[in-house]
Amino acid sequence: MLRIGVLVSGGGTNLQAIIDGIRNGVVTNAGIEVVISNNPGAYALQRAMDNNIPAVCVSPKSFETRDEFNEALIAKIDEYHPDLIVLAGCMVVLPAELINKYANRIINIHPALIPSFCGKGFYGLHVHEAALERGVKLTGATVHFVDEGTDTGPIILQKAVPVLKGDTPEILQKRVMTEAEWKIMPQAINLIANGKVKVENGIAWIDE
Ligand code: GRF
């Protein structure tokens, strides 16, 4: 069984989609061992507790230096021996040591079709504002492995959604979440849990 550690910072709707996916069989061979937040007020922690999943906060504010925080974060993750780390709305810039230690074992969800609207500064509503400003007719979401760059790791799954006349960033964000993010996040985890994802020369391949 794939042991998953989920890192969050906010509402945790993607976490909820994973919990639901495990419960309803969309995700097999996997279980969430821990949910870790940098933000003590993250509703995602409550979602974890409601589902009897250990919920832990490791806040940078509790440490004098970034290095101490990084060390504590890595130690906390290691305690649960995860096979896969899932970034589900995690706003923390991960230390290189963690990324290297868990190479090809950390995944992230980005609310656009990478390589569009990604990289530095493209997070939250900014992504959808940029998509609307450019006038794209399709946007969507991407699940990818995490490497040391910002949104540069191997792409696992993508799903497109239409941009419609009258969309605001908020309306578009909601559509991307409901129609793309909450679907491909559990699907990607299921593929990994069942040994269907391989990375070769920086490209992820799915063996269906
Ligand atoms: C999502 O839009 C995700 O794509 C981005 O952060 C947001 C997290 O939302 N990385 P939630 O906490 O899962 O509700």
Side-chain angles (χ1 to χ4, degrees):
M1 197 192 68
L2 188 85
R3 298 172 60 87
I4 303 171
V6 184
L7 303 194
V8 296
S9 298
T13 61
N14 280 285
L15 167 67
Q16 190 66 53
I18 302 166
I19 292 171
D20 295 345
I22 291 172
R23 186 162 298 140
N24 64 27
V26 166
V27 181
T28 57
N29 285 329
I32 303 175
E33 302 300 320
V34 66
V35 171
I36 301 175
S37 174
N38 60 309
N39 165 18
Y43 186 63
L45 289 173
Q46 186 62 47
R47 292 183 194 269
M49 289 187 280
D50 291 346
N51 288 279
N52 300 316
I53 299 166
V56 183
C57 176
V58 182
S59 166
K61 292 189 183 137
S62 314
F63 301 90
E64 296 221 332
T65 66
R66 193 72 189 180
D67 281 352
E68 285 174 47
F69 164 71
N70 287 342
E71 214 177 284
L73 178 65
I74 295 171
K76 185 52 75 184
I77 292 170
D78 286 348
E79 239 179 68
Y80 291 88
H81 305 290
D83 302 306
L84 182 72
I85 299 172
V86 176
L87 309 185
C90 171
M91 302 301 284
V92 173
V93 176
L94 297 185
E97 189 190 335
L98 181 69
I99 294 170
N100 294 327
K101 191 167 189 179
Y102 288 88
N104 291 332
R105 291 194 292 147
I106 308 178
I107 64 171
N108 179 47
I109 181 124
H110 181 74
L113 295 173
I114 291 174
S116 292
F117 314 117
C118 67
K120 261 201 150 124
F122 287 99
Y123 61 89
L125 278 178
H126 299 305
V127 177
H128 306 292
E129 280 160 10
L132 289 174
E133 259 163 43
R134 185 62 186 85
V136 292
K137 304 300 176 244
L138 284 175
T139 184
T142 303
V143 178
H144 63 93
F145 285 109
V146 172
D147 65 10
E148 283 197 48
T150 306
D151 303 324
T152 52
I155 291 169
I156 304 166
L157 286 181
Q158 295 188 294
K159 189 166 193 297
V161 306
V163 178
L164 303 176
K165 194 155 178 276
D167 275 354
T168 61
E170 290 80 5
I171 292 171
L172 186 55
Q173 179 181 53
K174 188 80 211 254
R175 186 177 312 117
V176 167
M177 287 180 118
T178 54
E179 293 182 16
E181 294 185 38
W182 301 344
K183 295 201 162 84
I184 62 174
M185 182 56 122
Q187 284 167 3
I189 293 171
N190 184 53
L191 290 168
I192 293 168
N194 289 286
K196 307 265 189 212
V197 182
K198 306 253 167 331
V199 180
E200 281 167 23
N201 302 322
I203 307 283
W205 296 102
I206 294 169
D207 183 17
E208 297 267 18

Coordinates of all heavy atoms in Angstrom, one line a residue, residues 8-16 44 47 87-91 108-112 123-124 128 141-142 173 176-177 181-182, ligand 1:
V8 N -0.3 20.8 3.0 CA -1.3 21.7 2.7 C -1.0 23.1 3.3 O -0.1 23.2 4.2 CB -2.7 21.2 3.3 CG1 -3.1 19.9 2.6 CG2 -2.6 21.0 4.8
S9 N -1.8 24.1 2.9 CA -1.7 25.4 3.5 C -3.0 26.0 3.7 O -3.2 27.0 4.5 CB -0.9 26.4 2.7 OG 0.5 25.9 2.5
G10 N -4.1 25.5 3.1 CA -5.3 26.3 3.1 C -6.6 25.4 3.3 O -6.6 24.5 4.1
G11 N -7.5 25.6 2.4 CA -8.8 25.0 2.5 C -8.8 23.5 2.4 O -9.7 22.8 3.0
G12 N -8.0 22.9 1.6 CA -7.9 21.5 1.5 C -9.0 20.8 0.7 O -9.3 19.6 0.9
T13 N -9.5 21.4 -0.4 CA -10.5 20.8 -1.2 C -9.8 19.6 -2.0 O -10.5 18.6 -2.3 CB -11.2 21.7 -2.1 OG1 -10.3 22.3 -3.0 CG2 -12.0 22.8 -1.3
N14 N -8.6 19.8 -2.4 CA -7.9 18.7 -3.1 C -7.6 17.6 -2.1 O -7.7 16.4 -2.5 CB -6.6 19.2 -3.8 CG -6.9 19.9 -5.1 OD1 -7.2 19.3 -6.1 ND2 -6.8 21.2 -5.1
L15 N -7.3 17.9 -0.9 CA -7.1 16.8 0.1 C -8.4 16.1 0.2 O -8.4 14.8 0.3 CB -6.8 17.5 1.5 CG -6.9 16.5 2.7 CD1 -5.8 15.4 2.6 CD2 -6.7 17.3 4.0
Q16 N -9.5 16.8 0.3 CA -10.8 16.1 0.4 C -11.1 15.2 -0.8 O -11.6 14.1 -0.7 CB -12.0 17.2 0.5 CG -13.3 16.6 0.8 CD -13.3 16.1 2.2 OE1 -13.0 16.8 3.2 NE2 -13.7 14.8 2.4
A44 N -7.8 22.5 6.0 CA -7.4 21.2 5.6 C -7.0 20.3 6.9 O -7.3 19.1 6.9 CB -6.1 21.3 4.7
R47 N -10.2 18.9 8.1 CA -10.7 17.8 7.3 C -9.9 16.5 7.6 O -10.5 15.4 7.6 CB -10.4 18.2 5.8 CG -11.2 19.3 5.2 CD -10.9 19.5 3.7 NE -11.3 20.7 3.2 CZ -12.5 20.9 2.6 NH1 -13.4 19.9 2.5 NH2 -12.9 22.0 2.1
L87 N 1.5 17.6 -2.7 CA 1.4 19.0 -2.4 C 0.0 19.3 -2.9 O -0.3 19.3 -4.1 CB 2.4 19.8 -3.1 CG 3.9 19.4 -2.9 CD1 4.8 20.5 -3.6 CD2 4.2 19.3 -1.5
A88 N -0.9 19.6 -1.9 CA -2.3 19.9 -2.2 C -2.6 21.3 -1.7 O -3.1 21.5 -0.6 CB -3.2 18.9 -1.6
G89 N -2.2 22.3 -2.5 CA -2.4 23.7 -2.1 C -1.3 24.0 -1.0 O -1.6 24.8 -0.1
C90 N -0.1 23.5 -1.2 CA 1.0 23.8 -0.3 C 1.7 25.1 -0.7 O 2.3 25.1 -1.8 CB 1.9 22.6 -0.2 SG 3.4 22.9 0.8
M91 N 1.7 26.1 0.1 CA 2.3 27.4 -0.3 C 3.8 27.5 0.2 O 4.4 28.6 0.0 CB 1.5 28.5 0.3 CG 0.1 28.5 -0.2 SD -0.1 28.6 -1.9 CE 0.3 30.4 -2.2
N108 N 2.6 17.7 -7.3 CA 1.9 18.9 -7.1 C 0.8 19.1 -8.1 O 0.8 18.5 -9.1 CB 2.9 20.1 -7.3 CG 2.3 21.5 -7.0 OD1 1.6 21.7 -6.0 ND2 2.5 22.4 -8.0
I109 N -0.2 19.9 -7.7 CA -1.3 20.2 -8.6 C -1.2 21.7 -8.9 O -1.1 22.5 -8.0 CB -2.7 19.8 -8.1 CG1 -3.8 20.1 -9.1 CG2 -3.1 20.4 -6.8 CD1 -4.6 19.0 -9.6
H110 N -1.2 22.0 -10.2 CA -1.2 23.4 -10.6 C -2.4 23.7 -11.4 O -2.8 23.0 -12.3 CB 0.1 23.7 -11.5 CG 0.2 25.1 -11.9 ND1 0.6 26.1 -11.0 CD2 -0.1 25.7 -13.1 CE1 0.6 27.2 -11.7 NE2 0.2 27.0 -12.9
P111 N -3.1 24.9 -11.1 CA -4.4 25.2 -11.7 C -4.3 25.8 -13.1 O -5.0 26.8 -13.4 CB -5.0 26.1 -10.7 CG -3.9 26.8 -10.1 CD -2.7 25.9 -10.1
A112 N -3.4 25.2 -14.0 CA -3.4 25.7 -15.4 C -2.8 24.5 -16.2 O -2.3 23.5 -15.6 CB -2.6 26.9 -15.6
Y123 N 0.2 31.7 -8.9 CA -0.4 30.9 -7.9 C -1.8 31.5 -7.6 O -2.0 32.7 -7.9 CB 0.4 30.8 -6.6 CG 0.7 32.1 -5.9 CD1 -0.2 32.6 -5.0 CD2 1.7 32.9 -6.3 CE1 0.0 33.9 -4.4 CE2 2.0 34.1 -5.7 CZ 1.1 34.6 -4.8 OH 1.2 35.8 -4.2
G124 N -2.7 30.7 -7.1 CA -4.0 31.2 -6.7 C -4.7 31.9 -7.8 O -4.6 31.4 -9.0
H128 N -5.6 32.4 -12.9 CA -6.8 32.6 -13.6 C -7.0 34.0 -14.2 O -7.5 34.2 -15.3 CB -8.0 32.2 -12.8 CG -7.8 30.8 -12.2 ND1 -7.8 29.7 -12.9 CD2 -7.5 30.4 -10.9 CE1 -7.6 28.6 -12.2 NE2 -7.4 29.1 -10.9
A141 N -5.9 22.0 -15.5 CA -5.1 21.7 -14.3 C -4.0 20.7 -14.7 O -4.3 19.9 -15.7 CB -5.9 21.2 -13.1
T142 N -2.9 20.7 -14.0 CA -1.8 19.7 -14.3 C -1.3 19.1 -13.0 O -1.1 19.8 -12.0 CB -0.6 20.5 -14.9 OG1 -1.1 21.2 -16.1 CG2 0.5 19.6 -15.2
Q173 N -11.7 29.8 -11.5 CA -11.0 29.0 -10.5 C -11.9 27.9 -10.0 O -11.4 26.7 -9.9 CB -10.6 29.9 -9.3 CG -9.9 29.1 -8.2 CD -9.6 30.0 -7.0 OE1 -10.5 30.7 -6.5 NE2 -8.3 30.1 -6.6
V176 N -12.2 25.2 -12.8 CA -10.9 24.4 -12.9 C -10.8 23.4 -11.7 O -10.4 22.3 -11.9 CB -9.7 25.4 -12.9 CG1 -8.4 24.6 -12.7 CG2 -9.7 26.1 -14.2
M177 N -11.2 23.9 -10.5 CA -11.2 22.9 -9.4 C -12.1 21.8 -9.5 O -11.8 20.6 -9.5 CB -11.5 23.7 -8.1 CG -10.3 24.6 -7.7 SD -10.8 25.5 -6.2 CE -9.5 24.9 -5.1
E181 N -9.1 19.8 -11.3 CA -8.2 19.4 -10.1 C -8.7 18.2 -9.3 O -8.0 17.3 -9.0 CB -8.1 20.6 -9.2 CG -7.4 21.8 -9.8 CD -7.1 22.9 -8.8 OE1 -6.8 22.7 -7.7 OE2 -7.2 24.1 -9.2
W182 N -10.0 18.3 -8.9 CA -10.5 17.2 -8.0 C -10.6 15.9 -8.7 O -10.9 14.9 -8.1 CB -11.9 17.6 -7.4 CG -11.8 18.9 -6.7 CD1 -10.7 19.6 -6.2 CD2 -12.9 19.7 -6.3 NE1 -11.1 20.8 -5.5 CE2 -12.4 20.9 -5.6 CE3 -14.3 19.6 -6.4 CZ2 -13.3 21.9 -5.1 CZ3 -15.2 20.6 -5.9 CH2 -14.6 21.7 -5.2
Ligands
GRF1 C1 -5.6 24.8 -5.8 O1 -6.1 25.7 -6.7 C2 -4.4 24.1 -6.3 O2 -4.3 24.0 -7.7 C3 -3.3 25.1 -5.9 O3 -3.8 25.6 -4.7 C4 -5.2 25.4 -4.5 C5 -5.5 24.6 -3.3 O4 -6.8 24.5 -3.0 N1 -2.0 24.5 -5.9 P1 -7.3 23.5 -1.8 O5 -6.5 23.9 -0.5 O6 -7.0 22.1 -2.2 O7 -8.7 23.8 -1.7

